[in-house]
Amino acid sequence: MFSRFLTSALFAGASAGLLTGLLQLYFVQPVLLHAELYETGALVHFGADAVSAHPDLPGFDAVRDGLSLIFTMLTYTAYALILLAAMSLGEERGAVIDGRWGILWGVAGFVAFHLAPGFSLAPEVPGVAAADITSRQIWWFATAGAALVALWLLAFGTGWGAWIGAAVLLMAPHVVGAPEPDSFSGPVPTEIGALFAARALGIGLAAWVLLGSFAGFFWQREGARSA
Amino acid sequence: MTTMIKTAGATRSKLVPALFAAVLGVALMALTGHVQAAALHDAAHDVRHATGFPCH
């Protein structure tokens, strides 16, 4: 039984992670590199002169970008393990798990791990002002965990109690509030920060749709093989 | 009665691997996305930003 989890998660996570890594390198990395020019002080805006919005950016870096690909694959393999655990429990409750239904599970994963935390802790470019890392991580885990429970209640709960509970769990972390910096000190133009957050969330959604579909597909195929 | 026991057994036999997969997944995600050890942080830096994990 556990080998079915491992095999499906490895295949789904590695393939979705590789595609996501490539998408990130093309769509997100240039924005990050642009922001780093301001983080390091190579560019300064609101100085005496206007600054070009189209500076020369460093190109492909084999070590740096290679590591990014590897870590993206690892991250999405980790997400695949969590997703498949939820999928198998859903299957017990009558949900159909395949490549097509997997898309819906993927969207749910995106909501839990990207959109819910990102609603108050938007994806950050390097160089922004932010609160203490430990408190932000605790808030991030609590928010993602609460969203997971909430989405499960929305999907499998019956009755108003479950649905209202889900709404409370989704809103509570944002009513309490995410850790915020004491003052703003980010040197990066707001245009770059906004583009980065939008791109990170967009690629996150693409990643999770791929991951959900692949996880559903491999879960079904591994099940058919062992049956 | 037999059916009940069988059903309970089948549920448990799936719950334990699912729980283990989830724990393994969270551990791996914490490692790639959250642990602040310098070597890990530097290697995963761009991914952490692009994936929306709190970084720095």
Side-chain angles (χ1 to χ4, degrees):
Chain A
M1 188 65 209
F2 189 63
S3 65
R4 186 178 176 192
F5 278 102
L6 273 187
T7 315
S8 314
L10 278 176
F11 277 126
S15 49
L18 182 61
L19 290 171
T20 302
L22 293 171
L23 285 171
Q24 281 177 348
L25 283 184
Y26 187 80
F27 287 109
V28 186
Q29 188 70 8
V31 188
L32 184 142
L33 292 172
H34 195 171
E36 279 187 344
L37 293 178
Y38 288 92
E39 185 190 22
T40 57
L43 291 181
V44 181
H45 73 140
F46 297 136
D49 304 313
V51 182
S52 166
H54 306 280
D56 288 329
L57 297 173
F60 181 78
D61 179 329
V63 174
R64 180 174 181 175
D65 296 337
L67 277 170
S68 291
L69 283 179
I70 293 170
F71 272 91
T72 309
M73 289 166 77
L74 284 173
T75 301
Y76 281 94
T77 303
Y79 278 151
L81 282 164
I82 299 168
L83 179 61
L84 281 159
M87 280 175 157
S88 78
L89 298 181
E91 199 173 38
E92 296 275 290
R93 291 176 161 255
V96 178
I97 304 299
D98 60 13
R100 199 177 283 261
W101 280 102
I103 295 172
L104 200 56
W105 286 81
V107 172
F110 166 75
V111 171
F113 287 104
H114 280 79
L115 193 59
F119 187 66
S120 286
L121 276 185
E124 302 158 358
V125 281
V128 298
D132 168 57
I133 177 74
T134 310
S135 58
R136 277 185 296 143
Q137 286 178 334
I138 292 169
W139 188 89
W140 188 95
F141 272 101
T143 305
L148 275 181
V149 175
L151 292 174
W152 185 269
L153 286 174
L154 285 178
F156 295 103
T158 47
W160 287 101
W163 299 326
I164 292 170
V168 169
L169 279 171
L170 282 173
M171 288 188 287
H174 306 286
V175 173
V176 172
E180 288 172 359
D182 293 329
S183 61
F184 297 128
S185 59
V188 180
T190 177
E191 292 89 339
I192 297 177
L195 179 63
F196 185 85
R199 286 273 168 100
L201 286 174
I203 298 300
L205 178 57
W208 272 99
V209 167
L210 291 168
L211 184 71
S213 184
F214 291 173
F217 171 79
F218 284 114
W219 178 256
Q220 193 191 47
R221 204 191 62 159
E222 290 304 307
R225 180 178 293 183
S226 60
Chain B
M1 187 65 193
T2 332
T3 4
M4 270 181 69
I5 291 168
K6 260 188 193 155
T7 315
T11 306
R12 201 173 307 126
S13 76
K14 221 170 195 181
L15 190 65
V16 173
L19 216 66
F20 193 63
V23 169
L24 190 64
V26 171
L28 183 57
M29 184 253 286
L31 206 64
T32 61
H34 298 275
V35 173
Q36 288 296 307
L40 267 175
H41 172 272
D42 293 350
H45 174 268
D46 297 354
V47 177
R48 290 183 178 189
H49 278 284
T51 313
F53 293 131
C55 198
H56 302 292

